[in-house]
């Protein structure tokens, strides 16, 4: 792997991590996950949104998995 290809992998890795971080921050913000609630309406709204929440968590997880894969490639290349 050339130096330029390696640099591209680092950029790709950073991009994946940034996307995952953005997804999780948005998730926390959009669904107010830090809020402790005793309101039944908020509880019902959360229950209704759990499918959407799960989908967003899965998207973030996909970015994390891709980042891990890229990191493994970089580590293998650096070991050579």
């Amino acid at each position: 792997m050339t130096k330029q290809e390696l640099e591209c992998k680092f950029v790709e890795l950073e991009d994946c991590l940034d996307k995952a971080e953005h997804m999780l921050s948005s998730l926390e913000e959009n669904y107010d996950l830090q809020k402790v609630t005793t309101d039944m309406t908020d509880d019902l709204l959360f229950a209704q949104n759990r499918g959407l929440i799960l989908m967003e968590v899965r998207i973030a997880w996909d970015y994390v998995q891709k980042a891990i894969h890229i990191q493994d490639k970089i580590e293998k290349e650096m070991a050579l």
Side-chain angles (χ1 to χ4, degrees):
M1 187 179 292
T2 67
K3 182 180 177 182
Q4 184 177 7
E5 290 171 330
L6 191 57
E7 287 175 3
C8 285
K9 288 291 178 196
F10 277 113
V11 169
E12 193 177 348
L13 175 62
E14 184 177 12
D15 184 53
C16 287
L17 294 174
D18 288 345
K19 287 176 182 176
E21 182 179 6
H22 172 75
M23 288 295 302
L24 295 173
S25 293
S26 292
L27 182 68
E28 181 181 8
E29 205 174 288
N30 291 340
Y31 298 104
D32 210 7
L33 297 180
Q34 293 294 326
K35 180 180 173 184
V36 176
T37 180
T38 56
D39 182 10
M40 182 64 107
T41 305
D42 286 343
D43 292 345
L44 289 172
L45 210 84
F46 180 81
Q48 283 181 319
N49 289 326
R50 70 177 186 237
L52 296 172
I53 293 169
L54 179 59
M55 180 60 70
E56 291 184 37
V57 167
R58 286 181 173 167
I59 292 169
W61 179 244
D62 288 344
Y63 286 124
V64 170
Q65 288 293 104
K66 186 174 178 182
I68 290 169
H69 180 72
I70 293 167
Q71 181 182 358
D72 288 344
K73 282 185 175 181
I74 290 171
E75 288 175 353
K76 284 179 186 174
E77 195 62 35
M78 298 296 278
L80 296 177

